Amino acid sequence: MSNTFDLLLTGGTVLNPASGLRQELAVGITDGRIAAIQSKLPRENAKKVLDVRGCYVTPGLIDFHVHSYWGVNPYGFNADSICLVSGVTTAIDAGSSGPVNFLGFKKLVNEPSKTRMLAFVAVAQHGVLNDPGELQNLRFADPEAAARSVKDSPNVGVGIKVRLHKKGVGDNGREALRLAVQAGEASKSPVMVHVGDTGISMEEIVGTLRAGDVVTHCYTPQRPSIVDESGRLLVAVRKAKERGVIFDVGHASGHFDFNLVRRAMGDGLLPDVISSDLHGRMKQPGFGIVGDLPTTLTKFLALGLDLDQIIAMCTINPARVIGWQDRLGNLEVGRDADVAVLQIVNEATKLRDSVGGEMTAEQRIAARWTIRGGEVFPGSC
Ligand SMILES: [Zn+2]
């Protein structure tokens, strides 16, 4: 171990759900990598010291569902500007590119961004569109080419995306889902499925998915829901969860309902992954009810999950879903220095959902610093 660090984080509590670590430790960073994690590290030789007392030092957060293909896709926004002030070191674009324009995503988003930008590639040739939707005509589906995009770029493409809402696929939901799973099989990667306002049932959707495939917008108030009319979790959803189908929050403006989350979590359906689904077509000014990923995490703190669970759901859990657990989501010596410094702020915070629901949280999760590959970015709050 070198005694000289480019950056030393001292006084914070390292919270690393992947290893169960929760302890006050110093973290030394050299050449963009984690060089040491120990109870005491010499500050004298560190080029820069960040005193992070009162904060949690976690793996860099992964926002599993965003729309970052700015200037090309109608949902795109400049995700770097939000990620780097909110603890997010990896963001995964959810289908803004398809096989026709995925190389552009690599060149225009993945390569120049400071945030590590990965992508689920749409089974639809041009990625997700607004109106008309991307698979209103199934001739726009190209599962072979989507699979090839993922296979040929394993450092960027991590899975296949399909949306099944009626505006996107008309009456083609069943076939669109089948083609997406076909692309997932051909690329040996997970399929992320948008639910909410679909023409096929939740039973059919989760029954078609393989273990490791992802239901995004899992707590959407739109139909079909994961709960029945009386608010009980569907048996098919429980079975899907048990056999390894992944449930991702994908908040966005339209897909979060406090009461539905309470009922579903009460029946055992905790999210595997918490994501924001930030995009450039939010109805409210700025990012409205979503805010950012820490605000979305704060909602789950207010709904009763503990911080360790929540951090797992935006670090090691999403890393595992895309098979990147050896690269992301775990704070270990030798890894890229992707780190979030988070603080629990004791301050009443009003939180809103998609159906007019409000909660006042007594605490909120704030990002103080985002460290990406050793480079330090101050938080926005
Ligand atoms: Zn989305």
Side-chain angles (χ1 to χ4, degrees), residues 139-162:
R139 290 176 64 201
F140 284 115
D142 194 341
E144 292 84 14
R148 223 177 303 124
S149 297
V150 172
K151 277 205 305 201
D152 290 351
S153 299
N155 290 325
V156 184
V158 298
I160 300 292
K161 175 77 190 285
V162 69

Side-chain angles (χ1 to χ4, degrees), residues 295-314:
T295 307
T296 306
L297 303 179
T298 295
K299 291 179 183 179
F300 284 89
L301 197 63
L303 287 161
L305 297 191
D306 66 44
L307 187 65
D308 299 56
Q309 285 175 299
I310 291 168
I311 298 304
M313 290 165 179
C314 56

Side-chain angles (χ1 to χ4, degrees), residues 298 301-302 344-349 351 360-365:
T298 295
L301 197 63
I344 303 291
V345 181
N346 292 311
E347 166 183 294
T349 305
L351 301 167
T360 301
E362 287 157 27
Q363 300 181 311
R364 69 181 172 89
I365 298 172

